[in-house]
Amino acid sequence: MAFEEFGQLSKRRREERAQKYKKKILIAVLCTLLFLLCIAGGVFAFFHFTSKKNSASSKYVGASSSPPQGEQTKTSSKIIELLCDPTDYKKKCADTLVKVVHTDTSNPSIAPRLIVKAAISAAADEVVKAINKTEKFKFDKSHDKAAYEVCKKVFQDSVDELAESLNHAGQEAKNYHDKISDLKTWLSAVYSYQETCIDAFDDGDMKKKIKDAVNASKEYVSNSLALVAQISTILEKFAAAEESIKPPARHLLEHGSSPPVDNQGFPEWVGHEERNLAVKATTNLVANITVAKDGSGNFTTINDCLKSLPENRTERIYIYIKGGFYEEYVTVTKKMKNITMFGEGSQKSVITGNKNFVDGVRTYETATFAVMGDGFVGIALGFNNTAGPEKHQAVALRVQADRSIFLNCRMEAYQDTLYAQTHRQFYRSCYIAGTIDFIFGDASAIFQNCMIIVRKPMENQQNIVTAQGRADKHENTGIILHNCRIYPDKELFPVKHKYKTYLGRPWKQYSRTIVMESTIGELIAPEGWMPWQGDFALKTLYYAEYNNHGPGSDTSKRVKWGGYKKSISKQEAQNFTVTPFLQGSWIRDSDPTVQVHYGLYK
């Protein structure tokens, strides 16, 4: 996304500079035209230069709504070929785009919008087909019925987010790449939802049937992700070319560079009011509603409080959770947006439950607290699942909400403690404890300044901190542990050498996890990372470590996998800091006192 900081030049100064830059601009225009023609051929002319009614441009984009002939046919084919080149399912891509490119060459100025819309629309059609197919399946076993209930929920989420993506993609914008980060995030979530449906089933014939039914929709969503990225690349090249001919006074920050963060490292989308919450004592916050188990508030349960909220509310609402153990299963629905929920402390205001996989509950449904409403902020709260290690998967907190923030919170369970399911998530100064895959999911999630505490597992088990679920290489997701501390808890500490502990393992084909500028305790095994099964994903994953310290940070004996990087450059690490990795077209903080830095501590 490009962020422009325009200087307030007067008319007189503009006129003075006009003559000065005239020659330079003319030369740059000619160079730019040659550059674009060499790099992208007809695509750039197709996207940008039709408005110039000259013979050079008409050669490429002067087609009518009927199928072009001769050079125009070749140009359209080249456009489709270039756009579809990064996709994994090129025939599907070409079939999707051929009508758009041929039909709309008469109005190519909106071609990027139409191309993205066509790809997302095709994906939406396939998701609907998948839903219709699976609805006809007969589920005889109780666990299959329970699994399909998960599918129905994530299918609906897919439909909702594809509709939002279509609306977003269809809107005209001066800088279309401003929309790219949002589209990548939403489409990545849709892809992940299909995986969630498949994962809900146990291995067997029914799982294979479900997988086959959703396969086409996954392919079209994958293509959509690739096309959005390709459009973004083209537009970046245009932005760079155009910027080269502008006077330097404009100071445009190019797309792909690091937008500003504040001096505490918050994402640029965190509003001034929300970022101040991190440094205020919760007693200084003013609540709209108070939940108190002892009856001293407006409600005695969190669920009753949430049910009272009016639908379609857009303004932020502050809910105070007084100290107490709230034994209830809470879901902040998609309609419950912009909620700030804060407690007296992460060990005082605690939401607790014990649903688990062994008792017949699908992992997705075991969460004590689930957040789906965008813009959720949780502060000084505890989320527990007390099922114990013998009950296997038992989630304390599941987060699906986009632009969600957790500050000074505590998540405690054993296996699968924190399900960072989808979208953009930011965790600051949290305490996260567990055993197996206890930070998992397919969100774009950064954990900054967090305590990552490894607990004692069952006999003959090992500990794995992360299990990231990026299943398609075009997704913009990953788990980033930044300036965190990874230590054993007091029960594991005296026997830490008895149990192997790893930084992560690849849950999906393109699993991505980065640990940087963190303190790694000696409990981490020298090899650092653990395979999922055989050589699955070892060449396609992206695991990296950067500038860590502590006795467990020695990378000399790390795994030798093709996808593992025991050392990356500072520039590459910078891509995984808060603002570059979580950037989106959200409201920026306008406080002029915010200091700018680029995310790394050293």
Side-chain angles (χ1 to χ4, degrees):
M1 175 169 60
F3 297 103
E4 300 185 61
E5 297 177 356
F6 292 102
Q8 301 300 316
L9 297 176
S10 66
K11 183 178 180 181
R12 181 179 60 81
R13 292 182 64 196
R14 290 177 186 273
E15 291 173 349
E16 289 174 353
R17 293 192 178 203
Q19 186 61 33
K20 181 179 178 180
Y21 288 102
K22 183 177 179 181
K23 185 176 179 179
K24 179 180 178 181
I25 289 173
L26 288 174
I27 294 171
V29 167
L30 292 174
C31 293
T32 300
L33 286 171
L34 290 173
F35 169 77
L36 295 177
L37 289 172
C38 291
I39 297 295
V43 171
F44 297 111
F46 180 77
F47 281 161
H48 197 64
F49 289 103
T50 301
S51 59
K52 297 182 179 181
K53 304 293 186 178
N54 56 46
S55 58
S57 62
S58 64
K59 175 181 178 180
Y60 294 95
V61 298
S64 66
S65 59
S66 60
Q69 301 295 324
E71 286 299 314
Q72 294 171 351
T73 301
K74 290 180 182 178
T75 299
S76 295
S77 298
K78 288 291 184 182
I79 291 170
I80 293 173
E81 182 182 352
L82 179 63
L83 288 170
C84 291
D85 181 63
T87 66
D88 294 330
Y89 311 99
K90 291 179 173 56
K91 186 178 185 306
K92 286 183 171 66
C93 177
D95 291 344
T96 299
L97 298 189
V98 64
K99 293 181 180 179
V100 177
V101 171
H102 286 171
T103 301
D104 292 293
T105 50
S106 61
N107 189 9
S109 62
I110 58 173
R113 177 167 59 89
L114 292 184
I115 287 169
V116 172
K117 277 193 69 176
I120 297 173
S121 181
D125 289 344
E126 291 301 324
V127 169
V128 172
K129 290 178 184 178
I131 294 172
N132 292 337
K133 284 181 185 178
T134 59
E135 283 179 342
K136 298 175 182 178
F137 292 168
K138 187 177 181 180
F139 302 99
D140 295 323
K141 299 177 181 178
S142 59
H143 56 82
D144 286 339
K145 290 179 181 178
Y148 190 63
E149 288 301 311
V150 173
C151 286
K152 288 195 290 186
K153 291 179 180 179
V154 295
F155 281 157
Q156 184 59 57
D157 292 334
S158 297
V159 170
D160 292 344
E161 300 217 16
L162 285 168
E164 181 69 18
S165 297
L166 274 172
N167 179 60
H168 203 66
Q171 296 173 0
E172 294 193 44
K174 180 180 179 181
N175 295 313
Y176 196 76
H177 53 63
D178 286 359
K179 299 176 178 291
I180 295 299
S181 291
D182 283 344
L183 289 172
K184 285 180 180 178
T185 295
W186 297 333
L187 291 170
S188 294
V190 172
Y191 196 95
S192 183
Y193 293 146
Q194 315 307 299
E195 290 287 313
T196 300
C197 171
I198 296 168
D199 291 338
F201 288 85
D202 297 331
D203 290 340
D205 292 339
M206 185 54 68
K207 183 169 187 172
K208 185 179 183 304
K209 287 180 66 177
I210 292 290
K211 190 173 183 178
D212 291 343
V214 303
N215 187 61
S217 67
K218 288 173 58 182
E219 292 177 354
Y220 277 93
V221 173
S222 174
N223 277 355
S224 297
L225 277 163
L227 281 166
V228 167
Q230 182 73 330
I231 293 290
S232 177
T233 299
I234 292 170
L235 292 174
E236 285 178 20
K237 290 177 180 178
F238 269 119
E242 289 179 339
E243 184 60 19
S244 69
I245 68 172
K246 293 176 181 177
R250 296 194 64 176
H251 302 300
L252 188 146
L253 180 61
E254 292 181 4
H255 174 51
S257 62
S258 300
V261 294
D262 77 347
N263 61 343
Q264 293 185 325
F266 284 101
E268 52 87 21
W269 48 267
V270 179
H272 184 57
E273 186 176 10
E274 281 71 40
R275 69 181 67 215
N276 280 343
L277 296 177
V279 296
K280 287 183 179 179
T282 56
T283 53
N284 293 333
L285 299 178
V286 178
N288 302 112
I289 304 173
T290 298
V291 178
K293 193 172 183 180
D294 62 9
S296 61
N298 304 102
F299 298 93
T300 58
T301 71
I302 298 170
N303 278 310
D304 285 343
C305 171
L306 293 176
K307 288 176 185 177
S308 74
L309 300 181
E311 292 189 1
N312 302 317
R313 175 191 46 77
T314 57
E315 69 279 4
R316 181 161 294 279
I317 190 166
Y318 293 83
I319 301 173
Y320 176 40
I321 312 297
K322 290 189 70 174
F325 280 77
Y326 295 82
E327 298 174 353
E328 51 181 314
Y329 297 96
V330 178
T331 297
V332 179
T333 70
K334 287 188 288 185
K335 292 183 178 180
M336 301 174 183
K337 297 182 178 181
N338 297 323
I339 289 177
T340 293
M341 192 176 290
F342 62 98
E344 288 189 41
S346 63
Q347 297 185 75
K348 293 182 178 180
S349 300
V350 180
I351 303 96
T352 184
N354 62 3
K355 288 183 180 180
N356 61 84
F357 185 81
V358 171
D359 289 347
V361 183
R362 301 290 97 179
T363 303
Y364 176 94
E365 302 282 14
T366 63
T368 300
F369 197 98
V371 184
M372 302 171 70
D374 292 348
F376 181 88
V377 179
I379 307 168
L381 295 169
F383 307 96
N384 285 0
N385 190 312
T386 61
E390 68 279 1
K391 294 292 187 176
H392 300 295
Q393 296 95 324
V395 177
L397 174 65
R398 177 171 66 84
V399 183
Q400 182 180 323
D402 197 13
R403 295 165 291 136
S404 52
I405 305 169
F406 291 84
L407 307 171
N408 303 316
C409 288
R410 194 177 185 97
M411 303 83 171
E412 295 182 272
Y414 286 86
Q415 184 171 348
D416 292 358
T417 301
L418 173 56
Y419 188 179
Q421 186 185 354
T422 54
H423 297 112
R424 292 162 284 202
Q425 305 179 16
F426 179 58
Y427 298 80
R428 176 69 177 247
S429 301
C430 291
Y431 179 104
I432 307 161
T435 54
I436 299 171
D437 305 335
F438 64 95
I439 301 175
F440 77 109
D442 193 25
S444 299
I446 290 187
F447 298 82
Q448 190 179 86
N449 302 2
C450 291
M451 291 288 293
I452 311 297
I453 303 300
V454 184
R455 307 178 82 173
K456 182 181 176 183
M458 295 173 64
E459 294 297 319
N460 302 316
Q461 284 187 334
Q462 64 281 308
N463 293 312
I464 307 102
V465 175
T466 66
Q468 204 280 328
R470 183 169 171 252
D472 185 89
K473 65 184 178 183
H474 304 295
E475 290 184 75
N476 64 349
T477 59
I479 290 174
I480 316 298
L481 305 183
H482 187 196
N483 198 41
C484 293
R485 287 166 287 176
I486 305 172
Y487 293 141
D489 76 353
K490 63 181 181 181
E491 291 188 9
L492 177 62
F493 181 79
V495 292
K496 60 182 179 294
H497 296 297
K498 181 179 177 181
Y499 303 93
K500 278 203 165 186
T501 299
Y502 302 90
L503 293 171
R505 60 175 177 166
W507 182 24
K508 299 292 180 180
Q509 188 76 43
Y510 295 93
S511 181
R512 179 160 62 182
T513 302
I514 297 90
V515 183
M516 56 190 191
E517 298 189 317
S518 294
T519 302
I520 303 176
E522 63 178 338
L523 76 163
I524 297 299
E527 56 268 37
W529 306 82
M530 176 184 176
W532 187 269
Q533 185 175 21
D535 61 356
F536 170 75
L538 302 188
K539 294 181 179 180
T540 53
L541 58 77
Y542 182 101
Y543 285 169
E545 298 179 54
Y546 172 78
N547 200 24
N548 296 307
H549 43 277
S553 65
D554 181 3
T555 60
S556 62
K557 297 181 180 179
R558 290 293 197 250
V559 294
K560 307 297 183 182
W561 305 338
Y564 169 68
K565 301 174 184 293
K566 68 179 181 180
S567 178
I568 58 176
S569 68
K570 184 175 183 179
Q571 182 177 4
E572 191 170 359
Q574 183 65 48
N575 294 329
F576 300 107
T577 55
V578 168
T579 302
F581 193 65
L582 297 182
Q583 64 182 321
S585 54
W586 310 329
I587 299 175
R588 298 174 62 197
D589 190 293
S590 59
D591 187 340
T593 65
V594 171
Q595 298 181 28
V596 177
H597 74 268
Y598 294 96
L600 292 174
Y601 287 85
K602 295 180 181 178

